[in-house]
Amino acid sequence: EDVAARESGRDGVLLDGCRAGEAELARGAEEGGVEAEAGEGHERAGVGQCPRSRNVGPCGGHVTLPAGTSLRIDRALAATCDHLLWGAADLDVAIAALAERTEVRATAGGQHPDLGTHNAIAALGRRRFLEVIAPDPTLPPGALARRLAGMKTPTLIMWAARTPSAADTAARAEAEGYQAAVVEGHRSRPDGKLVRWTNVFVSGHGGGTLVPFFVEWHGGSHPADDGPRGLRLQALRAETPQAEALRAVLKALDVRLAVCKAPTARLVAVLDTPRGRIELAGP
């Protein structure tokens, strides 16, 4: 059970602020969870850590721990993430590439008529998933489909944070001085049923796709329920030259994410798979 989900009472939904996230990380030494040594490379980095940095909290802040403490880190950060989007020019090629790296073959999700794309799903744990997305040649291409069509290799392009209320999330963003667009979305599953959701896209922050868009799902099921098992989100972090600015944006939007200062901006997801631990990165 995710400690974050238990404490939030939102069935895995967590958009807590940085201060609460750092407290949970410190408590992880006593409460159990994913075991990792703070400060080692990404192959040992726990959820909410930046690699090679000791005692880094979920928002890049620092937690004071006794010398020699081995952190047992709750999977709190993974609970903030609803899904990751792994984009490609060809869906079948991307599914095959994922299976080659992980031994997990994503299953068909359906079409996005408004976007000109189709997708496949693989679960990343309870109520979170990897969405493999590519242009659908049977649909008129939208802006996203045209962007994906130019990609040379599958790449992590963005991520989504789950919210229980798209309206409340939009209101919070606007209260912080950002612009928020609320967009209804849907796709047709292979069995003909519609999956419906509401997205919130926040702009005016300068963080690009390192800042998530938000999703509120409608109906009792979740897309992760349709995906094959075998993958687990172990860690998610943003790397950027503007680390402090990004942390400020995430705090304003009440999102927890490990932020590391780096020469170039990219999102990095660490997954546990049947073939071992791997990274998906981009854009």
Side-chain angles (χ1 to χ4, degrees):
E1 179 186 6
D2 289 336
V3 170
R6 185 174 69 241
E7 293 186 353
S8 69
R10 295 180 179 176
D11 194 24
V13 178
L14 184 64
L15 297 175
D16 285 347
C18 296
R19 188 174 304 169
E22 291 171 358
E24 282 187 359
L25 181 61
R27 287 199 302 272
E30 297 179 356
E31 293 183 356
V34 180
E35 185 169 2
E37 289 288 336
E40 296 192 9
H42 64 261
E43 69 278 2
R44 294 289 303 279
V47 170
Q49 287 182 289
C50 296
R52 297 176 297 280
S53 178
R54 294 192 61 83
N55 304 345
V56 177
C59 284
H62 285 72
V63 180
T64 301
L65 296 173
T69 297
S70 176
L71 289 179
R72 294 183 60 82
I73 301 170
D74 302 313
R75 295 193 302 277
L77 179 61
T80 68
C81 179
D82 184 81
H83 64 282
L84 308 174
L85 282 80
W86 201 48
D90 184 282
L91 187 61
D92 290 336
V93 171
I95 291 172
L98 182 68
E100 175 67 23
R101 294 185 67 183
T102 69
E103 295 186 2
V104 174
R105 179 170 289 274
T107 57
Q111 295 177 307
H112 307 112
D114 296 338
L115 301 176
T117 59
H118 56 167
N119 69 1
I121 300 295
L124 292 177
R126 183 172 177 270
R127 295 180 68 82
R128 64 186 66 95
F129 64 98
L130 177 67
E131 177 180 5
V132 185
I133 186 168
D136 186 331
T138 69
L139 296 173
L144 178 59
R146 288 191 291 270
R147 174 189 169 191
L148 294 172
M151 298 181 66
K152 302 298 184 184
T153 59
T155 300
L156 189 61
I157 58 172
M158 63 185 79
W159 68 292
R162 188 163 60 253
T163 174
S165 172
D168 289 350
T169 296
R172 180 188 180 98
E174 291 173 347
E176 293 290 342
Y178 304 120
Q179 295 80 52
V182 179
V183 180
E184 302 297 326
H186 69 276
R187 65 173 167 85
S188 301
R189 291 173 27 149
D191 61 8
K193 295 181 180 179
L194 278 182
V195 180
R196 297 176 52 253
W197 63 86
T198 303
N199 285 142
V200 180
F201 297 96
V202 180
S203 59
H205 48 65
T209 55
L210 299 182
V211 176
F213 66 93
F214 298 86
V215 58
E216 176 188 357
W217 296 103
H218 303 299
S221 63
H222 187 272
D225 300 336
D226 298 329
R229 302 297 187 259
L231 305 180
R232 185 168 67 89
L233 179 62
Q234 173 67 17
L236 181 65
R237 70 180 185 269
E239 298 179 352
T240 174
Q242 306 297 327
E244 289 303 321
L246 179 59
R247 289 178 190 131
V249 172
L250 295 173
K251 184 175 182 179
L253 296 175
D254 209 15
V255 175
R256 290 190 301 152
L257 177 68
V259 177
C260 309
K261 190 173 180 64
T264 58
R266 66 173 190 157
L267 188 66
V268 181
V270 182
L271 307 184
D272 283 338
T273 84
R275 288 196 171 177
R277 188 163 292 182
I278 68 166
E279 283 190 355
L280 301 181

